[in-house]
Structures are given as C-alpha cells and as structure tokens.
C-alpha cells in the first residue's frame, strides 16, 4: 500500500515547495510515483494555480549518444545564466527511481547554483497510470517549484519516449556519427516531433555525413502538416521552422552555448506564432485522455474481477465454442455491463 | 496503415497454420503485431476453437542471466522428446520484431526437429493494445498451430514482464550467483508468481549461497493465499507447491533434464489440483480486461480529439483556475460525456 497523504501535510509540503525546498519537491514526486493518479490528483489540484511558468525541453536519443553529458552541459549553461533548472531523467528500462544516485552528476560552481538545480531519475516501476502520465504530473510539481526550465531526458526512441515527448515545448533528438540504424529508428516516429537535431561526439569521423543524412531526411519529409494525425493522436509540428542540425562535443561543452541559443530561438518562435499555446492545448488533451483511461481501466479491472454475471460470461471462453472467443465476450460485456459502471 | 486482411485470405492462412505451415504462423503474427486488437479480433475468432492444447511456460530473469541459452537448452530437450515447441522471445526494450535473426539460435539435429520448432522475437513497437495483449494473441496463434509447449521468454522483471507472465501455467525465474540486487528485484513483485527458481551459471562461485538466499525468501513468504489480490489483479499461486530452486549450467546443458522434470511435475500438480483451470479462468479475465481497456482507450482518444464540447472543457485548463485542473476536468468529462460514447 502506498503511503497516504493528508491534506494538512499536503498543504505544508506545497508551501515548502513554493519556498524552494527541494526535499518537499522530492517528497511530492515520491507520493506521485508510489500512489499513482489517485494520489497525484490531490497534489495537482493544489499546485495547479502555480504552474504554467516553466519551459519544458525534451531530449532523447539512443544509448551511448551521450545524452546525460549533453543534458548536464546544457543545464550548467542555463545555471550560469541564473536560471532555475530541473532535470527529469526517465529510464523505462530501469527499475530504480530516486535522486540520490544522480547527486554527483553535475559539478556545481557554488551553493547558489546547487540551490537552482533539481535532478530526479524516474524508472518504470509499473507506475499505476503509466510512465508518461507520471511524468506529466511530476512536470507540474517542478513547474510549481518555480523551475525556469524543465529538461526531460529519456532513453531510446520507443513509444513511451514519444508519449513523454508530447509534454515538451522544444524537443531535441541526439545522434552520434555513424549510427545508421538509429537514423532509421528516428525516421520511424520521432522525426515528426523533433525541433532540433544534435549530432553529438562530433569529433568522431563521419560527423558531417550524419549531419547530411539528417538534412536529407528533412528534405524528404517536405511540408509538414501542423496537425499531424496518427492513431488519433495529434502531434504539433512547428510550422515555419526547419529543424536545425547542430554538431556538439558535450563532454567538453563544445557548441552547448550554440545549442542553448537554438533552444531560445525555437522558444521565441513557438511563443510568437501561437504554436506554444497550441502545444499546451494538445498536451492538456493527452493529459485528460490519460487520466480518463486510468479511471476506466481501474473500473474495468474491478468489474471483471468482482461481478458474478460477468464471471459467468467469461467462463464461456473455456468452452472453446466459436461464439465465445475473448473478443466476442468483451464486446458483449461492453454492451451489457460497462455503462452501469461509469 | 497496417495491411488489412480479408476473410478469404484469413481462412486460407488458418488452414495452412493447421497444416503446420510456419510461414502462415509468422504471417498471422505479423498481422497481429501491425494491426493490433482490431485486426487480431478477426484472427482470434477464427482460430479460437483450435486452441487450448498448448502448455505455456514463462521464463524471465535479469540481463546476463543466460535466459536465451537456457531456453534453447530446454527447447532442445523437449524437441528430443518429440514435442512441438514454440518460443516467443519478448524484449520490451528493443524496437525490432521478427523471426529471421533468431533462425540460428538452436542447432537442429535434423529436419524433423526443425519442423517442430518455431521461434519468434517480439519487441515493444508501441503495440496498439500493449505488449502483454499482443503476446496473449500470439500465444493463441501458436496454440492453434499445434504447439505442445509455448515458451515465453522475457527480459527483466518489470511490470510488463509480470503482465506477460499472467498467461503462463508454469513460471520460471532465472538468477545467477552473486546477483544480490536482482534477488531484491525478484522480491519486488515476481516472487509470488514464480513456480520454479533457476540459479544458472552454477559453476560460478557463490551458487549455493544464492540458492540459500532464495530458499530463505521462500521461508519468509510463508503461507501463500491461493488468490493473491493486488491492485485488483488476482494472481494464482500454486497451493501445496513450494517452488523448487534448481542449479543449472545452461550452456553445456547441465541439469536441463532435471529442470524439464520439474516442469512436468508442476504441470501434473496444477492439472491434478484444478489450479490449471483456475489459472485459465484468471488468464481469460485479464484477456477480456485488456481488450475492454483497448476499446475504451480508442474511444477516449477519439472523443477528446473530436468533440467540440469536450474541447471547450479542456480549454479551461489553460486558465490555471483552481477549479479547472486536469483531474477535475477529467472527472467532469467522465460524468457528462463518456457514457454516450460507449
């Protein structure tokens, strides 16, 4: 059983969150991770009026592309400009969450900078509402915390990464020279939602070739619809913005300032053109859709495991009769029972 | 767009599937992987009467534990006993599916054995209905194919593995000597559903210590409820069966015969005690629940992205007004709209 949170404790934690208490932020995130949407609900309702200020950057790329190093360099650059930065490192393949292990990730110049940085790793621990949903809730907490920038770093380019990316205002995809297969992977789904391409480890051979390959892909993709509909999921692509391709050498901070400038340029662009507001609208739709799916899933589980009439229906599957396969039975349940459970 | 399947072609494919045509099996699985539950529905409805004969074994463990080698050894052992064996290698962290890469996994003695083996890898490509759901459908295809044993091999011990495991009749967890952390990971959720523990690479030091640690955990877990309710998900634990812990050295086939004997013993046990039928009942409930979730999720996406009244409601989130946070808005949509969409 996840630890429950009471309203008085919650209000105190949120007060402390607003006073830049990082332990309060960590605690609230843990509540969300352990308690799922049922617990997150109470937290989000309270902090909601304090959100809407942070700028959210999504960064992804294949293992070995130097994501963490690049994120660290970028964060350091933003800290030097006196911004408050939060990093959420999402690893769907790891079972470990927390902040402790990441404490040494960035070498801080002074305490002032340390106070302006918050790092949290998030793992796939069978989150009750799914990793993308949890990430959305955690972003809200770090927004109310007063972050100027929230960097969401994810491993790989699978569906869960794409779902997480839907929360970002500027999305960055990292590759490294000579990774032909990964370019293929990028093609598969992430191409449409990338705002800036980074070819990291640009001191390796073939960096320029990789840049050229990405540029060629961008030429091929041609005009991009502003509302790209795919599996009923709208993805906003920034009209009037051809994603730049930039070479970096993250481990020695090379071209990180230029990357930060590109982010700023993209930020200005999406604000000026109204695309940011559209992105927010679409993010909110996904947010609501995920919450609704969670509530309904919970009701379905309950129904399927407690209703004796439904039990009788499902029993029929065991007969292996042609008319009682799992799909037909499901359709029958949907028609006969589900409406009453809502 | 996934390639559509017509009923005549489907009937021909199923005819060929029943005649032991492996290409037909591969084709049907590809249809399921690409088309999701909407396509799987038509396939499952047709093959359903031919299912129910295969015995399903689930095998998991951390990376490096030697899962594939063990699965190969076990499959070879079963092939030598003239059984027809299918292997589904599920890797939630990989974007690649297919069968070709795995062709050389097992060195076949002769063509007869080759005809009795089917191997398929399944990756997490953002399956429309989720990986666990796709796996259930694929199991049905390989059951109708006439497999005596279907071995489902998964990487890691995360939630997706546990979901996949709910389809298995005998579940095997592999660890290796000296993997303290992984024992912790096993504790976290998979302990309750494991029927046989394997300590592989038993030629390494500390093999006996690892065996002792697992035995100690089993002592601690004490009496186990036959219906273990967790997050509204019932998991059947085999009453009257203390999971044996067995040492193997898979790469040279050591103790694989003994492992096969334990599987047979467990199979006899679950059949005799009626637990197998109970497992089937629960598997069918999960099956139905997953299908219902898929149908509802699809409806939610459609609703949230096409209904103008709902659009207006979601717009309110942008005001950052305390009364219009995403959770409150979701609850309102649930009450006001969702019923009409079912």
């Amino acid at each position: 059983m996840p630890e429950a949170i009471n309203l008085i404790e919650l209000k105190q934690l949120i007060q402390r969150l607003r006073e830049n208490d990082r332990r309060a932020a960590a605690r609230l995130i843990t509540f969300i991770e352990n308690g799922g949407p049922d617990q997150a609900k109470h937290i989000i309702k309270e902090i909601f009026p304090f959100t809407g200020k942070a700028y959210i950057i999504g960064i992804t790329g294949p293992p070995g592309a130097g994501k963490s190093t690049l994120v660290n360099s970028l964060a350091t650059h933003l800290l030097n400009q006196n911004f408050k930065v939060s990093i959420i490192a999402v690893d769907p393949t790891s079972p470990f969450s927390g902040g402790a292990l990441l404490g040494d990730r960035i070498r801080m110049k002074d305490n002032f900078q340390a106070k302006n940085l918050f790092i949290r790793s998030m793992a796939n621990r069978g989150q009750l509402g799914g990793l993308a949903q949890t990430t959305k809730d955690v972003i809200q907490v770090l927004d109310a915390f007063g972050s100027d920038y929230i960097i969401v770093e994810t491993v790989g380019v699978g569906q869960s990464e794409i779902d997480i990316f839907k929360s970002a205002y500027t999305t960055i995809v990292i590759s490294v020279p000579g990774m032909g297969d990964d370019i293929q992977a990028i093609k598969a789904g992430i191409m449409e939602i990338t705002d800036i391409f980074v070819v990291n480890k640009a001191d390796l051979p073939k960096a320029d070739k990789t840049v050229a390959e990405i540029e060629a892909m961008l030429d091929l993709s041609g005009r991009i619809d502003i509302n790209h509909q795919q599996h009923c999921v709208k993805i906003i692509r920034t009209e009037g913005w051809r994603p730049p391709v930039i070479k970096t050498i993250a481990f020695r901070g090379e071209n990180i300032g230029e990357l930060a400038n590109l982010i700023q340029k993209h930020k200005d662009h999406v604000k000026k053109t109204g695309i940011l507001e559209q992105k927010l609208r679409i993010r909110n739709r996904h947010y609501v859709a995920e919450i609704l799916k969670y509530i309904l899933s919970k009701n379905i589980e309950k129904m399927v495991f407690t209703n004796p009439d439904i039990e009788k229906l499902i029993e029929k599957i065991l007969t292996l009769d042609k008319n009682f396969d799992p799909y037909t039975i499901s359709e029958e349940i949907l028609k006969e029972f589900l409406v009453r459970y809502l």
Side-chain angles (χ1 to χ4, degrees), chain A residues 247-262:
Chain A
K247 289 189 287 184
T248 58
I249 306 172
F251 82 96
R252 51 180 196 242
E254 228 165 85
N255 244 6
I256 298 302
E258 180 57 26
L259 175 61
N261 288 343
L262 284 176

Side-chain angles (χ1 to χ4, degrees), chain A residues 55 238 266-276 279:
Chain A
Y55 194 79
T238 316
H266 185 252
K267 186 178 169 183
D268 293 342
H269 176 80
V270 294
K271 279 192 173 170
K272 200 178 57 197
T273 53
I275 287 168
L276 183 61
K279 282 193 183 227

